Amino acid sequence: MIREWNDTTIKRFLDEGRGAGIGKDYKPWLRVQDIASQGRSTRIYSFTSQRVVHMLSDLQLYYFYLLEFDDRVVDIRENYPALDFHELNIPLDGELTKKLFNSKTKAPHVFEVSFLVTRMDQQNKPYYEARAIKSSSEFEKKTTIQRLELLHRYFERKQIDFGIVTEKEINKQFARNIGWILTAYDLHDYPDLIGNFHYLKQDMLNDLTNPSESFLKAFARLEMNYQLEEGLGLIFFKHLLATKQLTMDLSQKINLSEQVEKYNIEIPILEGDRRAIGG
C-alpha cells in the first residue's frame, strides 16, 4: 500500500511500466493492493483485454461489467494515468494550479481516470472514451470537483471524450446479472459441455422457446438427457447468454424457478458471434 506520494513512488511506478501498454500488456497505474479503496476492491479477468483488471470499488466493477459485455469495446484500461499532464501546458487558474503538486512532498500529482476505453465506431474504426466513475456523494468534496475539472481539461486537450458516471447512470441489477453470466464465458473447465456443445445448445434453445417452461426444469432435463453433473445446465445457460447465443431481459432480478416467458427470451441470428467455449 502506498504510504506517501512522492518522487520515489512515482519513479518506481514508471520503472514498473505502470500506465503503459495496451490490451493484455497494459499495467494499471493503481492496483488493488496499492490503496485503501472505498467499498470492495476486486481483481477479475477481462476477456476483452485478456488480463486481470483491478477494480477499486463496487461502482467501478459494475461499470466494468457493462464495458465487458459491449461488443464495440475492444480494450479496457482501468486506473489510467494522465502521465503527460504537466507537459501539455494546460491553462489553469490559481486555484487549480495548487492541485498540481502534493503540498507536503511537492511531488507532482499523477491524475488518473477510472477507465480509458477503446471502442469501434460504425465504420469499424477505433476511438477512445475516458470515464471517471464516482459516487454522487463525492461531489460534496471540493477536491473531487477540482480533480475532475483537471481531467476534463486534460482529455479535452487530447481530443478524447471525457465523461463522469455515477450510480445514477448505472443499472446495478443489469450489471450484476452480466457479472453473473460472465463467470461462464469460458467453458474450458467443462469438457462434457464442449464435447456435446452443438447438441446441448440445440436442445436447450428448443426448451427455452416454450414460454411455460421454467429455467430449472430445462436445466434438469438437459442434465438428465446427457448425464451431466448437477449444475452444468445452469453453467451452459449462462455461457449462451455471456456469448450472446441467447438473449433475455437482464435488467430484472432472475428467478430460475419462474417461467421463461417473463424474461423475453430471444434466439438471435449470429454472424461472427463471440463464443468462448474452450477459451
Side-chain angles (χ1 to χ4, degrees), residues 2 16 19 96 139 155 233 248 276-277:
I2 300 171
E16 292 174 0
L96 288 177
F139 289 93
F155 286 109
M248 62 181 283
I277 304 178

Side-chain angles (χ1 to χ4, degrees), residues 49-112:
S49 297
Q50 298 290 298
R51 62 179 178 81
V52 173
V53 297
H54 292 248
M55 302 292 105
L56 304 181
S57 70
D58 284 341
L59 200 58
Q60 191 178 4
L61 177 63
Y62 291 148
Y63 195 72
F64 163 76
Y65 286 146
L66 302 182
L67 295 174
E68 188 79 348
F69 201 56
D70 189 330
D71 290 333
R72 292 198 172 276
V73 173
V74 296
D75 193 19
I76 302 168
R77 282 177 275 181
E78 78 280 16
N79 310 322
Y80 182 82
L83 292 178
D84 57 348
F85 186 100
H86 297 268
E87 301 169 13
L88 297 182
N89 297 316
I90 299 172
L92 302 173
D93 58 31
E95 191 72 19
L96 288 177
T97 300
K98 295 177 182 178
K99 299 300 176 182
L100 297 181
F101 297 89
N102 185 295
S103 59
K104 180 180 177 182
T105 66
K106 307 304 179 184
H109 280 302
V110 178
F111 303 105
E112 48 93 19

Side-chain angles (χ1 to χ4, degrees), residues 30-262:
L30 294 177
R31 301 176 302 184
V32 165
Q33 60 267 40
D34 291 327
I35 65 170
S37 64
Q38 295 181 354
R40 289 192 301 271
S41 56
T42 308
R43 281 176 283 206
I44 187 171
Y45 189 77
S46 167
F47 292 100
T48 299
S49 297
Q50 298 290 298
R51 62 179 178 81
V52 173
V53 297
H54 292 248
M55 302 292 105
L56 304 181
S57 70
D58 284 341
L59 200 58
Q60 191 178 4
L61 177 63
Y62 291 148
Y63 195 72
F64 163 76
Y65 286 146
L66 302 182
L67 295 174
E68 188 79 348
F69 201 56
D70 189 330
D71 290 333
R72 292 198 172 276
V73 173
V74 296
D75 193 19
I76 302 168
R77 282 177 275 181
E78 78 280 16
N79 310 322
Y80 182 82
L83 292 178
D84 57 348
F85 186 100
H86 297 268
E87 301 169 13
L88 297 182
N89 297 316
I90 299 172
L92 302 173
D93 58 31
E95 191 72 19
L96 288 177
T97 300
K98 295 177 182 178
K99 299 300 176 182
L100 297 181
F101 297 89
N102 185 295
S103 59
K104 180 180 177 182
T105 66
K106 307 304 179 184
H109 280 302
V110 178
F111 303 105
E112 48 93 19
V113 70
S114 304
F115 294 103
L116 182 66
V117 181
T118 308
R119 291 184 182 273
M120 305 302 287
D121 64 18
Q122 296 295 334
Q123 287 71 46
N124 215 32
K125 294 181 180 180
Y127 67 98
Y128 302 106
E129 290 179 348
R131 291 294 180 265
I133 313 301
K134 295 289 181 184
S135 168
S136 57
S137 62
E138 294 184 66
F139 289 93
E140 298 173 4
K141 304 174 185 176
K142 185 177 180 179
T143 301
T144 296
I145 296 173
Q146 290 172 327
R147 283 178 173 266
L148 290 172
E149 177 58 26
L150 289 166
L151 283 169
H152 170 71
R153 297 192 189 190
Y154 171 79
F155 286 109
E156 186 176 49
R157 178 62 63 92
K158 290 279 191 175
Q159 297 185 320
I160 293 174
D161 179 60
F162 173 75
I164 301 168
V165 180
T166 73
E167 72 280 1
K168 297 177 182 178
E169 287 77 51
I170 296 176
N171 183 325
K172 291 183 180 179
Q173 186 61 63
F174 182 55
R176 290 189 191 103
N177 285 340
I178 292 174
W180 179 67
I181 64 175
L182 285 177
T183 58
Y185 186 91
D186 189 341
L187 293 182
H188 75 274
D189 289 331
Y190 304 101
D192 289 342
L193 298 182
I194 297 173
N196 295 299
F197 188 89
H198 174 76
Y199 302 105
L200 289 167
K201 176 182 174 181
Q202 188 175 43
D203 284 359
M204 177 165 283
L205 294 183
N206 284 339
D207 280 348
L208 294 180
T209 56
N210 178 359
S212 62
E213 181 71 284
S214 77
F215 294 106
L216 290 180
K217 286 182 179 178
F219 302 160
R221 185 179 300 111
L222 198 75
E223 291 164 358
M224 180 183 67
N225 290 344
Y226 289 88
Q227 298 183 334
L228 300 173
E229 291 183 15
E230 184 178 354
L232 288 184
L234 172 58
I235 290 171
F236 191 73
F237 169 71
K238 288 163 66 176
H239 176 79
L240 293 181
L241 287 171
T243 54
K244 298 181 180 176
Q245 298 175 67
L246 176 68
T247 65
M248 62 181 283
D249 181 6
L250 293 173
S251 65
Q252 57 180 313
K253 189 172 182 178
I254 299 171
N255 183 341
L256 296 175
S257 64
E258 291 183 329
Q259 295 179 338
V260 300
E261 63 181 349
K262 180 180 177 181

Side-chain angles (χ1 to χ4, degrees), residues 7-18 20 27 29:
D7 289 329
T8 301
T9 303
I10 295 174
K11 183 179 184 304
R12 175 168 63 85
F13 277 25
L14 292 174
D15 289 344
E16 292 174 0
R18 303 280 192 102
K27 295 183 179 179
W29 184 251

